[in-house]
Amino acid sequence: MRQLVDRTPAPLLFLVGGFSQYIGAALAVGLYPTMPPHAVAWLRAVFAAVVLLLVVRPWRADWNRRTLTQTGVFGLVLLGMNMLFYVAIEHLPLGAAVAVEFTGPVAVAAWGGRTARARIAIGLALFGVLSISLVGLDWSVTGSTADLLLGLAAALAAGVLWAAYMVIGGRIVRARDGLSSLAVGLTIAAVAFAPFSAPFAGAAVRPEILVTAAAVGVLSSVVPYVLDQVTLKRLGTATFALMNALLPVSATIIGVIALAQLPTAGEVVGVLAVSAAVWISGSGRRPAVEPG
């Protein structure tokens, strides 16, 4: 398996990870009739944590109170981000939700930048969000206003937590093993969120629900993160930025194929604008942490 990964071009590995992540999101949407989105996200974290604990065996690393605290915060931010994103895709098309969420990483990449590149990236991201929100989404349907507002608010909040995740994760991967921190962080977060999530996940006792939830955990968390560990080391800055820019487009394609979510013209323009912002903001520097 390791030899196969080593022989596979890094851009292809990145795209596989991106498509895996959003195929997992499409499967997660299929679980919404059985449990609320935050419970689905919690189950995703539980299964991802179990797999990573078995594979990575993070207890072999050196841990102390400071590193455990930082890792716990990292895990709480990550799971909170995933819960908000799953709320967003309950009310928004998958591609639109991903594009809106990407404003967080764009803001981190452009933060403090006084160059034309940074201003253009932020401007494109804002234009993309406005295009999706004001033009792309159908506000005329009776009863849709509250749902769309909730979806947009959840996607934007997920973007804020994604920004925090990048900052905290960047500090972690510069100091110690990222996979061990992910395994421990997700475990801490899954335990912390259990009282608010486990009571709503009773449908998981059904075998078909359990298998689907496990697939969501592997496809949306384990596969993308492990592949990102490889591609981060092998891709140049410009290529990595270009690959990131393709993720909102990839999510839109998955939404069309798996969920029959045909994008409107406003959504297409918005997704392309955000993708351009991601590429511009990321091509000038090495990312602090992978987008998993």
Side-chain angles (χ1 to χ4, degrees), residues 31 35 43 47 201 203-217:
L31 293 175
M35 67 186 76
L43 282 174
F47 282 107
V205 298
R206 292 157 51 187
E208 67 275 15
I209 302 297
L210 193 65
V211 170
T212 303
V216 170

Side-chain angles (χ1 to χ4, degrees), residues 41-236:
W42 177 75
L43 282 174
R44 163 185 167 178
V46 169
F47 282 107
V50 170
V51 172
L52 287 170
L53 287 174
L54 293 175
V55 173
V56 179
R57 290 177 286 180
W59 49 83
R60 297 180 300 178
D62 293 327
W63 296 94
N64 55 47
R65 181 179 298 178
R66 186 185 68 82
T67 56
L68 278 174
T69 300
Q70 185 185 46
T71 300
V73 173
F74 172 71
L76 291 171
V77 168
L78 176 57
L79 183 49
M81 176 188 74
N82 289 335
M83 286 183 171
L84 286 168
F85 177 70
Y86 275 21
V87 171
I89 61 177
E90 183 182 28
H91 304 289
L92 299 178
L94 180 59
V98 170
V100 173
E101 187 192 25
F102 253 99
T103 55
V106 170
V108 169
W111 177 259
R114 299 182 179 179
T115 64
R117 180 191 298 273
R119 296 190 182 96
I120 291 172
I122 292 176
L124 281 171
L126 290 175
F127 171 77
V129 171
L130 290 174
S131 178
I132 291 170
S133 304
L134 301 180
V135 181
L137 301 178
D138 186 2
W139 296 87
S140 63
V141 179
T142 303
S144 67
T145 301
D147 287 340
L148 293 178
L149 285 174
L150 177 58
L152 288 170
L156 288 170
V160 172
L161 288 184
W162 194 350
Y165 159 83
M166 291 177 67
V167 173
I168 300 171
R171 295 171 182 170
I172 287 176
V173 297
R174 285 192 294 268
R176 55 188 183 276
D177 177 45
L179 283 177
S180 294
S181 296
L182 178 67
V184 174
L186 278 178
T187 301
I188 293 173
V191 172
F193 278 104
F196 314 102
S197 304
F200 299 93
V205 298
R206 292 157 51 187
E208 67 275 15
I209 302 297
L210 193 65
V211 170
T212 303
V216 170
V218 172
L219 290 172
S220 289
S221 293
V222 178
V223 172
Y225 201 98
V226 170
L227 291 181
D228 281 344
Q229 296 291 311
V230 178
T231 56
L232 267 172
K233 298 176 182 179
R234 292 167 54 184
L235 287 177

Side-chain angles (χ1 to χ4, degrees), residues 261-272:
Q261 296 174 339
L262 295 177
T264 63
E267 288 177 50
V268 172
V269 171
V271 167
L272 292 178

Side-chain angles (χ1 to χ4, degrees), residues 3-25:
Q3 293 179 345
L4 177 62
V5 171
D6 290 338
R7 290 197 301 265
T8 304
L12 180 58
L13 290 177
F14 187 97
L15 290 177
V16 168
F19 275 103
S20 175
Q21 182 176 355
Y22 298 127
I23 290 172

